[in-house]
Amino acid sequence: MKVIAFERSLQGTGASRRLRNAGKTPAIVYGAGNEPQLIEIDHNALFHALKKEAFHASILDLEIAGKSEQVLLRDVQYHPFKQLILHVDFQRVDAKQKLHTKVPLHFLNPEISPAVKLSAAIVSHIFTEIEITCLPANLPEFIAVDLAKLEVGHSIHVKDIILPSGVELVQHLDLENPVIVTATVPAGAAADEAAAATKDAPAA
């Protein structure tokens, strides 16, 4: 994805306020051994771009003064109650250095899993993203988690995920192998099923 930005020289609260009043968002790009650079981006274009998942999890082509460089979105500051982006941070990408970032999980085939199809279980997503490390060329937009074989009462753990080539898992939340998906039958449904089974059972 491409992001058009412009250089800015003024900084501080007053300068940022005037920038926002003019429909621009102050930003900064840093990293890859270069000096941090102050930039500004059209607010409306940025606002719509931030609604796209890929904008948060893929390498972006940032164009400044006609020159393009690859970056990752690292931080977004929103206004507490207005639909206003206050500031964004981008990090330059070095093709030879591994990235440490989060990518979203896409959960596939829950409707055909035994848990849902046979037991009407509820599939709960404990995590919707995971931390990985990889070279920029190997960065996936998302990682797929296939739920087709998930059975009721069972879980899928982080280490059960099939990672794309060149992608390594980073220890997540200080847990060795946390659960990312569970399949459970609601308490009320389980009670109704047990009552029905008792009613249908032949008398001793």
Side-chain angles (χ1 to χ4, degrees):
M1 297 181 67
K2 189 173 184 179
V3 182
I4 304 296
F6 303 90
E7 296 176 309
R8 64 182 174 101
S9 56
L10 299 178
Q11 56 182 316
T13 304
S16 294
R17 186 184 302 113
R18 288 191 293 273
L19 204 61
R20 296 185 192 105
N21 288 339
K24 307 291 184 181
T25 299
I28 189 171
V29 56
Y30 60 85
N34 297 324
E35 290 294 320
Q37 183 177 8
L38 301 176
I39 57 175
E40 60 185 65
I41 303 172
D42 179 79
H43 179 273
N44 287 342
L46 180 62
F47 185 82
H48 291 294
L50 283 166
K51 292 182 178 180
K52 300 176 182 178
E53 183 183 72
F55 194 79
H56 296 259
S58 59
I59 294 174
L60 309 172
D61 290 317
L62 180 66
E63 183 180 306
I64 308 170
K67 295 181 180 180
S68 185
E69 55 186 339
Q70 292 191 318
V71 299
L72 275 177
L73 177 68
R74 280 306 193 190
D75 188 51
V76 184
Q77 297 176 25
Y78 293 95
H79 192 279
F81 54 88
K82 295 181 182 178
Q83 287 193 328
L84 182 65
I85 304 160
L86 300 179
H87 194 275
V88 289
D89 292 6
F90 296 100
Q91 181 183 357
R92 297 184 185 96
V93 169
D94 185 335
K96 297 179 181 179
Q97 290 188 353
K98 284 190 174 183
L99 302 170
H100 180 165
T101 189
K102 292 181 179 179
V103 293
L105 298 173
H106 283 193
F107 299 96
L108 310 179
N109 303 317
E111 70 283 351
I112 66 172
S113 68
V116 173
K117 197 171 183 180
L118 302 179
S119 304
I122 293 177
V123 176
S124 301
H125 304 157
I126 311 302
F127 292 111
T128 56
E129 58 183 17
I130 58 171
E131 292 184 47
I132 62 163
T133 181
C134 65
L135 288 171
N138 295 327
L139 180 65
E141 223 173 88
F142 62 87
I143 292 178
V145 182
D146 191 357
L147 306 181
K149 296 181 180 179
L150 182 63
E151 298 184 3
V152 68
H154 288 220
S155 304
I156 294 178
H157 294 252
V158 165
K159 290 185 179 179
D160 297 328
I161 298 175
I162 299 175
L163 297 173
S165 177
V167 176
E168 298 176 4
L169 189 67
V170 174
Q171 188 172 338
H172 204 72
L173 296 177
D174 298 325
L175 300 174
E176 183 179 349
N177 192 21
V179 172
I180 58 170
V181 176
T182 61
T184 55
V185 176
D192 291 344
E193 188 176 332
T198 302
K199 183 178 179 181
D200 295 338

